[in-house]
Amino acid sequence: LTETAAAGTTRGPAPANSAAEPLFLRACRRRPVERTPIWIMRQAGRYLPEYRALREKHDFLTSCRTPELACEITLQPVRRLGVDAAILFSDILIPLPAMGVPVEFDPGPQIDRPVRSRADVEALATPDAREATPFVMDAVRMLRGELPPEVPLIGFAGAPFTVATYLVEGGGSKSFAALRGLLFGEPETAAALLDKCADTIASYLVEQVRAGAQAAMLFDTWAGLLAPEDYRRFALEPARRVLEAVRAASPETPRIYYAGDAAGQLEQCAGLGADVVGVDWRIDIAEAHRRLGGGVALQGNLDPGVLLGPPALIRERTARLLRAAPAAGHVFNLGHGILPMTPPEHARALVDAVRELSAARRER
Ligand code: CP3
């Protein structure tokens, strides 16, 4: 890892004036930037041969729980792609075992004893993250020592609603019938579950920030599942509690909220208390900007499928997205995680295209 630190990023030397505030953080704060920053959701993962090589020796949970491994995997895409932010290598379900719910990955998450009843919810613990997941805070501290100063580290957690979907379903789902049964059949039990998720996740995200994470991101992948009034009660308000805890602990740290498939909830997202709202590709970014208003920055929102096409298409779609997005207050990203079959050169072509085209746009 010492070699890694010496090598730093292989691309994109920081101009002297950005030493004070990295590009990514400026964009989160809607300050002027000389070009649009980019990072990629799931940038550390199976599409990278160096990730697959490490995973041959260590399973997924071991990789998450060993700070040296989590640190090394976090740095892989920073070295290869020259992205403008690093995201801690971990998973949104890492806090669950300390709540009393063991999780396995194969590669998707599997929970043998899902949370289904009032008694199940009452049995859940709400641990302090420093005791429950010290390896995460160690990885954050280690990464701050290894990352070049122009590449900020994003800490993250699952939003309470999205984490609750896994707790109740026991894994992924198409219909989310167990969860919906709880929300509408036993709303008080559901509310108690979401409270416990919010408490646990608030501690988990706040401690990452205290350990050195420079931005705090909440993933609400399943935000699009609910009607607006149910979204407000079961997803938005619990997420607001987590973001408010982060704000109270560290007011200057940008808070990012990713809302999957949430075109129906954007106006509500605008008032959440996030500095940045991440959107997927199902909505045009100009429309998302209009509906979110000027009070938040945007993150997104290229279809991850585009990276399976040729570099010329990647460049064309990137140019189009940059034209539609606001020049200040935009963090370029995919609309969801990069697909495992993506050629790494295509990810690199995307990063290059964003750098060149967004800088050229500002020169005009
Ligand atoms: O973005 C990054 O590079 C950081 C790492 C990261 C992972 N998961 C690693 C991972 C992040 C930010 C997550 C978030 C996450 N995890 C979300 C929210 C974002 C999203 O994608 O919607 C969700 C819903 C999960 C739960 C989860 N973990 C699922 C559904 C899966 C299986 C899907 C898949 O890609 O196979 C996981 C496993 C997982 N998390 C892997 C990785 C790299 C694959 C495991 C492996 O390497 O075998």
Side-chain angles (χ1 to χ4, degrees), residues 96-182:
L96 267 48
M99 294 180 81
V101 181
V103 187
E104 299 290 338
F105 288 85
D106 182 28
Q110 283 167 14
I111 294 168
D112 279 348
R113 285 182 298 113
V115 173
R116 295 280 165 88
S117 67
R118 182 87 208 182
D120 292 343
V121 171
E122 274 164 10
L124 291 175
T126 52
D128 181 313
R130 285 166 301 185
E131 283 150 34
T133 44
F135 49 87
V136 169
M137 314 316 150
D138 289 342
V140 168
R141 277 184 286 267
M142 196 178 285
L143 274 162
R144 283 303 304 278
E146 298 268 340
L147 281 164
E150 69 273 19
V151 182
L153 177 65
I154 304 169
F156 75 91
F161 176 71
T162 286
V163 170
T165 66
Y166 289 95
L167 280 169
V168 174
E169 295 291 340
S173 174
K174 282 209 166 75
S175 68
F176 295 90
L179 175 77
R180 290 172 140 129
L182 193 73

Side-chain angles (χ1 to χ4, degrees), residues 16-340:
N17 71 344
S18 76
E21 194 182 26
L23 203 57
F24 165 75
L25 295 177
R26 272 188 281 153
C28 289
R29 294 174 173 134
R30 286 175 286 130
R31 292 185 186 149
V33 283
E34 54 278 11
R35 63 171 178 81
T36 303
I38 172 169
W39 68 279
I40 296 175
M41 286 201 273
R42 291 278 177 100
Q43 63 190 15
R46 286 164 292 172
Y47 77 104
L48 287 179
E50 56 269 38
Y51 175 81
R52 293 195 301 269
L54 266 185
R55 283 278 286 95
E56 267 174 35
K57 289 182 265 169
H58 312 279
D59 66 32
F60 178 67
L61 275 174
T62 304
S63 307
C64 292
R65 287 179 180 148
T66 310
E68 290 76 10
L69 289 173
C71 184
E72 170 59 20
I73 296 170
T74 302
L75 293 169
Q76 286 176 344
V78 176
R79 281 188 220 119
R80 185 191 272 262
L81 305 176
V83 281
D84 296 302
I87 183 161
L88 174 70
F89 182 76
S90 187
D91 195 83
I92 63 166
L93 304 180
I94 289 296
L96 267 48
M99 294 180 81
V101 181
V103 187
E104 299 290 338
F105 288 85
D106 182 28
Q110 283 167 14
I111 294 168
D112 279 348
R113 285 182 298 113
V115 173
R116 295 280 165 88
S117 67
R118 182 87 208 182
D120 292 343
V121 171
E122 274 164 10
L124 291 175
T126 52
D128 181 313
R130 285 166 301 185
E131 283 150 34
T133 44
F135 49 87
V136 169
M137 314 316 150
D138 289 342
V140 168
R141 277 184 286 267
M142 196 178 285
L143 274 162
R144 283 303 304 278
E146 298 268 340
L147 281 164
E150 69 273 19
V151 182
L153 177 65
I154 304 169
F156 75 91
F161 176 71
T162 286
V163 170
T165 66
Y166 289 95
L167 280 169
V168 174
E169 295 291 340
S173 174
K174 282 209 166 75
S175 68
F176 295 90
L179 175 77
R180 290 172 140 129
L182 193 73
L183 294 179
F184 298 110
E186 288 183 63
E188 277 155 27
T189 302
L193 170 62
L194 288 160
D195 274 347
K196 285 194 162 183
C197 288
D199 288 344
T200 303
I201 291 161
S203 169
Y204 184 70
L205 200 51
V206 164
E207 293 305 333
Q208 289 179 53
V209 169
R210 289 195 175 129
Q214 292 147 290
M217 178 156 173
L218 268 189
F219 284 93
D220 224 348
T221 304
W222 302 118
L225 207 62
L226 299 177
E229 65 170 297
D230 299 313
Y231 170 75
R232 179 194 303 279
R233 179 169 168 204
F234 294 122
L236 190 79
E237 293 308 327
R240 186 196 303 284
R241 278 184 50 203
V242 175
L243 293 179
E244 176 49 33
V246 173
R247 197 202 58 75
S250 178
E252 296 306 310
T253 304
R255 299 172 301 276
I256 308 171
Y257 176 75
Y258 170 75
D261 202 4
Q265 344 276 18
L266 281 186
E267 285 78 7
Q268 296 200 67
C269 293
L272 174 64
D275 301 288
V276 185
V277 173
V279 293
D280 69 29
W281 65 93
R282 293 171 185 86
I283 183 162
D284 183 87
I285 197 148
E287 191 197 331
H289 183 219
R290 214 159 38 240
R291 287 180 48 208
L292 282 162
V296 295
L298 279 152
Q299 182 171 276
N301 70 345
L302 192 71
D303 180 344
V306 169
L307 293 190
L308 304 179
L313 175 82
I314 295 169
R315 210 176 158 84
E316 182 199 314
R317 293 299 185 100
T318 299
R320 217 195 283 169
L321 212 163
L322 286 169
R323 277 196 299 274
H330 179 216
V331 175
F332 202 104
N333 208 317
L334 301 181
H336 201 176
I338 189 167
L339 297 163

